[in-house]
C-alpha cells in the first residue's frame, strides 16, 4: 500500500476526518449542489458575500476521503477572498487535480494536497466535485435569476 | 453437460455453504485456463472479485475467437463460398449451444444481442411499445438494474402506461404480500431479475409468474437472468417466463454478445427492432416483409466472432456441471458474507439465508467510503466494485449512496475471500479506523 501514501497523505486524511467550514451557512447569498451520479457523492456549497468578498463559506460533502477533503481544503483556501480570487483558485484547483499544470510559486500551500490527486485518474471526479459546486454557486450569484437563492442542482 | 474427462469424478456436494467448505471444483486446474490470472496488479497476484461486472475469459474462449479470425472469417448467411459456410455453421452452432444450455425450445428461440441491456430494450421497444396503452401496467421491482428500468420508463411515458414496483423487504426479499396487491388483469408486462446484481437475492421466479398468470393470463413475463445463468442451472421452461435475457461477458464469453431467449409466442408476436439486412424476407421501395425469428431481430452483420466465443464459453462452463459451479460460487459468497460480517463496522446487504443468495456480497463499511476501500484493496491486487451498481433506486431504498461488492466466479478460492477480508482490515487501519 506504500504508493497510496501519496494520495492518502496526512493533509488529506486530516481534512477528511475534520472537514473545515462543514457547518451549512444559515442564509447564504449563493448556493449550489453538485452530484456525482457515478458514485452517489454530493457536495453542497454555500457562500455569504459582502461586496466582492466571500465573507463566509460552507462546503457540506457526502462522499469518499478525496471528495470530502477536497471540499474542506477549497473552503479553507477560499474563505475571506474576493470573488475574482476565488475564481482563480478554482481554476488552479481544477488544473492541479487533472494534472494540466504543476504547482507554481504563488499557489496557496494547501493546494499541494490537491495536486497529488492528479496521479490517480479514477479519483479526479471525486476531487473536482467541490470546485464544481462552488463554481455553480458563484454562477448563480453573478447571474441572478428568480431562483438564484434556491439550491441549484445539477 | 458431461464432466470433463480430465476432471476427477463428482465429489459429493457439501451439505451447507458456511464453515464446512469442501472443494467441489478443481480450482487450481481451472485457474490455469485463465491467462489473465497469472498477471500481477501493483506487484501483487490478481484477486479478481468483480465477476458480476464481467468475468475473465478462459483460453478456450480466447482461442475460439482467434481461430475464427485466423481460419473461418466471412460474413454469415450469405455467400456460397467455403468460408461463409464455415462461419455460418459456427455461428449457428453457437446459437444451438446457448439454446441447449438453458433448454430453450430450439435454437430459433435464441436471438444474439449485444448484452442483457439490448435484449431488454428489444422487448420493450419491439414487443411492448406497439402494444401497450393507457390503463396498462408494467410491473417491475425496486431492485432492478437500470437496464430493466429505463427502457420501461421510456415506453410507459410514450404510451401512457403505468409503472408499478414490487417493493423489497428489509431483509432483501421481494415483498410477497405487496406483490399480491400489485398484480391484476391490467398488468401486461412483468419484468424482473432472477438474481439481484446488488442484493444477490434469488427470486422465486416460477411462483411469481404463476401468481401473475392466475390474474392476468396473457401477461408477458420477462426475466433478467444476467446474474443467474453464469452460476446455476437455469431452465427457460422451468422458469415459466416468456423471455429471458443474459449477457455473454458475465459467463466467461467475450464482451459484446448476449442472448435473448423467447418462447414461440413472443418469437411470433415481437416485431422488428432494428431494420436492415438479414432481418428481411422481401424488400420493396415502400415496404418490406420480415424474416422469422431469430433473424428478424438480428439486423445487419452480427457479432459472429463473439457469438462463437459465447458458444465456446457455454461449452467450457457447462463441462463442469452447472450444479457444481453453483455449489462452488454459492459457498464462496456464503463464506464472504460470514467473514465480512465479523467486522463490526461492516453491514452486508441481502438475505443471509443459504440458498437465497447468489454469487456475490454487497456491503458497506460504516467508517470507510467504498471508493476508498476499493482503491486501497486495488493496491493489494484485489478487484472489487464500488458505486451504485447501476441500481440507483435500490441504493436509495437501502439508504446508502454507494456500496462495495465482491462477486465470485469459477476460479475464485476460499483463500481469496480470506485475503479480501484481511485486506479490508488492513485498509481500515491504514485509513485510521480501528482494527
Amino acid at each position: 500500500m506504500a504508493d497510496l501514501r501519496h494520495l492518502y497523505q496526512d493533509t488529506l486524511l486530516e481534512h477528511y476526518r475534520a472537514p473545515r467550514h462543514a457547518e451549512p451557512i444559515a442564509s447564504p447569498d449563493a448556493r449550489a449542489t453538485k452530484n456525482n451520479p457515478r458514485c452517489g457523492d454530493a457536495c453542497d456549497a454555500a457562500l455569504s458575500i459582502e461586496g466582492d468578498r466571500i465573507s463566509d463559506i460552507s462546503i457540506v460533502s457526502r462522499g469518499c476521503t478525496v471528495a470530502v477533503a477536497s471540499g474542506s481544503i477549497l473552503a479553507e483556501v477560499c474563505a475571506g477572498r474576493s470573488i475574482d480570487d476565488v475564481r482563480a483558485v478554482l481554476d488552479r484547483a481544477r488544473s492541479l487535480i487533472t494534472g494540466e499544470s504543476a504547482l507554481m510559486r504563488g499557489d496557496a500551500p494547501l493546494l499541494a494536497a490537491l495536486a497529488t490527486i492528479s496521479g490517480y485518474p479514477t479519483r479526479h471526479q471525486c476531487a473536482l466535485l467541490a470546485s464544481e459546486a462552488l463554481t455553480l454557486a458563484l454562477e448563480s450569484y453573478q447571474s441572478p435569476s428568480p431562483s438564484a437563492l434556491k439550491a441549484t442542482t445539477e | 453437460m458431461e464432466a470433463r474427462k480430465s476432471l476427477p469424478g463428482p465429489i459429493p456436494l457439501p451439505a451447507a455453504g458456511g464453515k464446512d467448505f469442501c472443494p467441489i471444483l478443481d480450482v487450481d486446474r481451472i485457474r490455469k485456463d485463465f491467462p489473465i490470472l497469472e498477471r500481477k496488479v501493483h506487484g501483487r497476484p490478481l484477486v479478481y472479485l468483480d465477476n458480476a461486472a464481467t468475468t475473465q475469459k478462459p483460453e478456450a474462449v480466447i482461442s475460439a475467437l482467434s481461430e475464427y479470425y485466423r481460419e473461418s472469417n466471412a460474413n454469415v448467411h450469405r455467400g456460397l463460398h467455403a468460408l461463409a459456410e464455415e462461419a455460418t455453421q459456427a455461428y449457428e452452432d453457437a446459437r444451438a449451444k446457448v439454446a441447449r444450455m438453458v433448454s430453450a425450445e430450439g435454437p430459433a428461440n435464441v436471438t444474439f444481442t449485444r448484452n442483457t441491456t439490448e435484449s431488454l430494450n428489444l422487448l420493450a421497444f419491439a414487443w411492448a411499445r406497439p402494444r401497450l396503452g393507457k390503463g396498462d401496467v408494467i410491473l417491475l421491482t425496486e431492485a432492478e438494474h437500470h437496464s430493466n428500468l429505463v427502457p420501461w420508463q421510456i415506453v410507459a411515458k410514450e404510451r401512457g402506461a403505468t409503472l408499478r414496483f414490487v417493493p423489497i423487504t428489509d431483509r432483501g426479499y421481494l415483498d410477497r404480500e405487496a406483490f399480491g396487491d400489485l398484480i391484476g388483469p391490467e398488468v401486461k408486462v412483468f419484468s424482473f431479475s432472477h438474481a439481484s446484481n446488488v442484493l444477490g437475492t434469488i427470486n422465486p421466479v416460477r411462483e411469481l409468474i404463476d401468481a401473475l398468470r392466475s390474474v392476468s393470463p396473457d401477461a408477458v413475463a420477462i426475466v433478467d437472468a444476467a446474474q443467474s445463468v453464469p452460476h446455476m442451472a437455469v431452465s427457460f421452461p422451468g422458469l415459466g417466463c416468456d423471455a429471458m435475457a443474459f449477457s455473454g461477458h458475465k459467463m466467461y464469453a467475450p464482451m459484446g454478445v448476449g442472448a435473448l431467449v423467447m418462447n414461440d409466442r413472443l418469437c411470433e408476436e415481437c416485431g422488428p427492432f432494428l431494420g436492415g439486412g438479414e432481418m428481411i424476407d422481401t424488400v420493396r421501395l415502400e415496404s418490406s416483409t420480415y424474416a422469422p425469428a431469430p433473424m428478424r431481430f438480428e439486423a445487419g452483420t452480427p457479432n459472429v466472432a463473439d457469438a462463437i466465443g459465447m458458444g465456446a464459453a457455454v461449452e467450457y462452463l457447462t463441462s463442469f456441471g452447472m450444479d457444481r459451479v453453483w455449489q462452488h460460487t454459492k459457498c464462496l459468497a456464503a463464506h464472504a458474507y460470514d467473514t465480512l460480517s465479523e467486522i463490526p463496522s461492516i453491514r452486508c446487504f441481502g438475505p443471509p439465508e443459504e440458498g437465497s443468495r447468489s454469487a456475490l456480497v454487497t456491503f458497506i463499511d460504516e467508517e470507510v467510503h467504498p471508493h476508498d476501500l476499493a482503491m486501497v484493496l486495488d493496491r493489494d491486487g484485489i478487484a472489487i466494485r464500488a458505486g451504485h451498481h447501476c441500481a440507483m433506486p435500490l441504493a436509495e431504498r437501502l439508504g446508502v449512496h454507494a456500496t462495495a461488492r465482491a462477486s465470485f466466479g469459477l476460479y475464485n478460492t476460499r483463500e481469496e475471500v480470506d485475503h479480501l477480508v484481511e485486506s479490508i482490515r488492513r485498509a481500515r487501519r491504514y485509513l485510521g479506523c480501528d482494527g
Side-chain angles (χ1 to χ4, degrees):
Chain A
M1 282 181 215
D3 52 346
L4 270 190
R5 275 185 209 135
H6 295 295
L7 178 66
Y8 293 116
Q9 50 188 296
D10 291 347
T11 314
L12 210 76
L13 287 177
E14 206 263 318
H15 274 264
Y16 172 67
R17 284 180 200 128
R20 324 294 198 261
H21 301 274
E23 211 37 56
I25 295 174
S27 314
D29 298 305
R31 189 178 161 202
T33 302
K34 176 78 184 171
N35 294 306
N36 182 351
R38 286 173 58 197
C39 61
D41 287 358
C43 176
D44 185 80
L47 301 168
S48 290
I49 299 171
E50 281 171 20
D52 73 339
R53 207 174 59 86
I54 306 296
S55 58
D56 201 1
I57 184 169
S58 68
I59 302 267
V60 184
S61 305
R62 179 188 73 212
C64 60
T65 308
V66 175
V68 173
S70 308
S72 169
I73 286 168
L74 279 180
E76 188 155 311
V77 174
C78 293
R81 290 185 187 242
S82 72
I83 290 178
D84 285 348
D85 266 7
V86 168
R87 286 187 178 291
V89 166
L90 294 178
D91 276 348
R92 286 299 298 148
R94 259 190 301 275
S95 30
L96 289 172
I97 289 166
T98 56
E100 269 169 47
S101 68
L103 268 182
M104 295 191 304
R105 199 194 295 267
D107 278 336
L110 261 181
L111 292 186
L114 298 184
T116 56
I117 298 167
S118 67
Y120 303 87
T122 56
R123 306 307 287 276
H124 289 182
Q125 281 306 314
C126 315
L128 288 168
L129 196 64
S131 70
E132 287 167 1
L134 275 168
T135 304
L136 285 174
L138 278 178
E139 275 170 14
S140 77
Y141 178 71
Q142 302 214 318
S143 53
S145 67
S147 58
L149 291 184
K150 281 183 17 196
T152 320
T153 304
E154 190 174 296
Chain B
M1 300 225 184
E2 278 171 55
R4 293 176 124 206
K5 283 195 185 106
S6 49
L7 281 172
I11 300 169
L13 299 178
K19 315 282 184 239
D20 303 320
F21 187 88
C22 71
I24 26 194
L25 292 177
D26 186 351
V27 178
D28 285 344
R29 191 193 161 84
I30 288 172
R31 290 182 71 85
K32 292 196 177 77
D33 294 336
F34 290 81
I36 206 168
L37 297 179
E38 284 166 26
R39 72 158 283 180
K40 292 200 154 63
V41 171
H42 302 300
R44 311 288 178 97
L46 169 65
V47 176
Y48 187 77
L49 303 179
D50 195 15
N51 293 285
T54 197
T55 56
Q56 299 302 341
K57 319 306 173 198
E59 190 58 54
V61 168
I62 298 168
S63 58
L65 288 178
S66 148
E67 209 171 288
Y68 167 73
Y69 280 124
R70 285 171 191 280
E71 303 282 336
S72 313
N73 178 55
N75 214 326
V76 290
H77 305 136
R78 61 188 91 169
L80 296 168
H81 52 81
L83 294 187
E85 241 172 70
E86 279 179 34
T88 303
Q89 189 62 49
Y91 182 67
E92 292 304 328
D93 282 353
R95 195 193 303 280
K97 285 176 192 167
V98 173
R100 267 200 306 278
M101 183 187 186
V102 297
S103 311
E105 281 153 87
N109 296 81
V110 174
T111 297
F112 280 124
T113 59
R114 280 193 303 145
N115 44 37
T116 308
T117 298
E118 188 171 279
S119 298
L120 293 169
N121 273 270
L122 193 159
L123 293 165
F125 290 104
W127 186 84
R129 178 154 68 176
R131 282 174 180 77
L132 299 190
K134 262 195 171 23
D136 291 335
V137 167
I138 300 168
L139 184 61
L140 308 170
T141 85
E142 279 184 346
E144 297 311 310
H145 188 282
H146 294 164
S147 61
N148 200 22
L149 288 173
V150 182
W152 302 113
Q153 291 168 354
I154 296 171
V155 168
K157 190 170 176 194
E158 193 181 308
R159 305 299 301 160
T162 305
L163 296 174
R164 278 185 201 159
F165 302 94
V166 184
I168 56 161
T169 65
D170 290 338
R171 288 170 70 79
Y173 292 102
L174 287 182
D175 184 334
R176 302 295 292 278
E177 210 178 304
F179 174 77
D181 297 336
L182 288 168
I183 54 176
E186 67 283 9
V187 175
K188 295 297 192 303
V189 175
F190 177 32
S191 189
F192 64 111
S193 57
H194 187 186
S196 160
N197 71 313
V198 176
L199 299 165
T201 315
I202 299 166
N203 290 316
V205 173
R206 182 85 207 202
E207 251 174 83
L208 295 170
I209 294 176
D210 285 349
L212 172 65
R213 292 254 166 79
S214 69
V215 293
S216 183
D218 294 329
V220 161
I222 298 165
V223 173
D224 167 358
Q227 298 293 349
S228 57
V229 167
H231 300 294
M232 59 185 84
V234 174
S235 153
F236 177 76
L239 294 181
C241 56
D242 297 280
M244 178 171 93
F246 51 99
S247 293
H249 73 97
K250 293 186 200 292
M251 51 185 287
Y252 313 97
M255 287 185 175
V257 65
L260 170 61
V261 182
M262 288 186 275
N263 60 12
D264 289 342
R265 172 194 164 187
L266 280 201
C267 282
E268 191 65 36
E269 287 183 9
C270 192
F273 181 41
L274 303 175
E278 299 268 354
M279 52 78 71
I280 43 82
D281 182 19
T282 311
V283 177
R284 298 209 165 78
L285 281 178
E286 301 292 337
S287 65
S288 302
T289 54
Y290 308 122
M295 302 306 293
R296 182 155 77 246
F297 313 114
E298 293 184 4
T301 297
N303 185 354
V304 180
D306 290 333
I308 291 170
M310 188 164 176
V314 165
E315 208 164 273
Y316 177 78
L317 179 59
T318 55
S319 73
F320 301 107
M322 289 311 291
D323 288 338
R324 294 168 78 198
V325 170
W326 174 225
Q327 286 296 326
H328 174 71
T329 49
K330 184 174 76 165
C331 286
L332 290 175
H335 181 53
Y337 190 96
D338 290 347
T339 47
L340 284 167
S341 301
E342 285 168 12
I343 302 176
S345 58
I346 283 191
R347 179 150 65 101
C348 294
F349 296 98
E353 285 81 9
E354 170 80 18
S356 305
R357 160 178 298 281
S358 70
L360 59 90
V361 179
T362 294
F363 60 97
I364 54 163
D365 186 312
E366 306 280 4
E367 297 168 24
V368 182
H369 191 281
H371 272 191
D372 294 317
L373 198 59
M375 184 134 195
V376 180
L377 294 184
D378 174 58
R379 299 295 149 145
D380 265 353
I382 302 173
I384 61 161
R385 177 86 185 262
H388 50 59
H389 317 295
C390 295
M392 287 169 88
L394 177 58
E396 201 172 317
R397 163 67 182 83
L398 298 173
V400 292
H401 299 287
T403 54
R405 181 183 69 190
S407 53
F408 308 101
L410 278 176
Y411 35 69
N412 290 125
T413 64
R414 188 177 167 90
E415 289 70 34
E416 286 181 313
V417 174
D418 294 337
H419 184 39
L420 164 76
V421 175
E422 181 49 34
S423 187
I424 290 173
R425 290 186 190 277
R426 291 205 293 138
R428 289 178 45 74
R429 287 194 292 272
Y430 179 75
L431 293 166
C433 309
D434 300 329

